[in-house]
């Protein structure tokens, strides 16, 4: 089972960009579908984006579609989330999650979760 560590969060002005990274330990990273999930204060978790094992397919939430790109580098055991045109409503803790079987727009059923990275977008 992999372990996941997110990085790249921070404070950014509205309209700015950020790239989040999620580094995985272990030799089986390429076996996992990967996803980004976020949770804003006082709100439920929200699916953001997912990428299939071989990076053939991607899924996005409507709220970020066109502003975000998920990608992965299996040689580096890392998945990325590039976000542009950030809005205050993008403020949340962003979690990286891995699933051996699920490639869905879902916030549940993942096998492994990271600890999260805070993204704050100021207006």
């Amino acid at each position: 089972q992999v372990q996941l560590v997110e990085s790249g969060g921070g404070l950014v002005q509205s309209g700015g960009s950020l790239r989040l990274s999620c580094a995985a330990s272990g030799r089986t990273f390429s076996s996992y579908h990967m996803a980004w999930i976020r949770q804003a204060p006082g709100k439920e978790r929200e699916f953001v984006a997912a990428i299939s094992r071989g990076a053939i397919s991607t899924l996005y939430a409507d709220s970020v579609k066109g502003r975000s790109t998920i990608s992965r580098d299996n040689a580096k055991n890392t998945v990325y989330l590039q976000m542009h045109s950030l809005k205050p409503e993008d403020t949340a803790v962003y979690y990286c999650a891995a699933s051996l079987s699920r490639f869905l727009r879902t916030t549940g059923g993942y096998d492994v979760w990271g600890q999260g990275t805070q993204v704050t977008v100021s207006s």
Side-chain angles (χ1 to χ4, degrees), residues 37-93:
I37 311 296
R38 68 186 181 186
Q39 188 166 22
K43 295 188 177 181
E44 294 184 350
R45 285 181 177 176
E46 177 188 14
F47 170 83
V48 177
I51 187 166
S52 61
R53 295 185 189 96
I56 301 299
S57 300
T58 57
L59 298 171
Y60 294 94
D62 289 342
S63 58
V64 303
K65 197 169 187 178
R67 300 189 295 120
S68 298
T69 302
I70 187 170
S71 61
R72 67 189 295 164
D73 186 336
N74 285 345
K76 295 183 178 180
N77 283 9
T78 303
V79 62
Y80 305 97
L81 182 67
Q82 178 72 57
M83 299 187 292
H84 301 286
S85 302
L86 284 162
K87 306 173 183 179
E89 51 263 44
D90 293 317
T91 295
V93 177

Side-chain angles (χ1 to χ4, degrees), residues 3 11 15 27-28 32 39 49 54 60 65 69 89-90 92 97-98 105-106 123:
Q3 292 184 325
L11 175 63
R27 300 179 181 179
T28 58
Y32 289 85
Q39 188 166 22
Y60 294 94
K65 197 169 187 178
T69 302
E89 51 263 44
D90 293 317
R105 291 184 181 87
T106 181
S123 57

Side-chain angles (χ1 to χ4, degrees), residues 9-46:
L11 175 63
V12 63
Q13 289 188 336
S14 182
S17 299
L18 274 180
R19 188 177 82 156
L20 306 183
S21 299
C22 173
S25 64
R27 300 179 181 179
T28 58
F29 174 73
S30 60
S31 300
Y32 289 85
H33 303 301
M34 300 298 298
W36 289 95
I37 311 296
R38 68 186 181 186
Q39 188 166 22
K43 295 188 177 181
E44 294 184 350
R45 285 181 177 176
E46 177 188 14

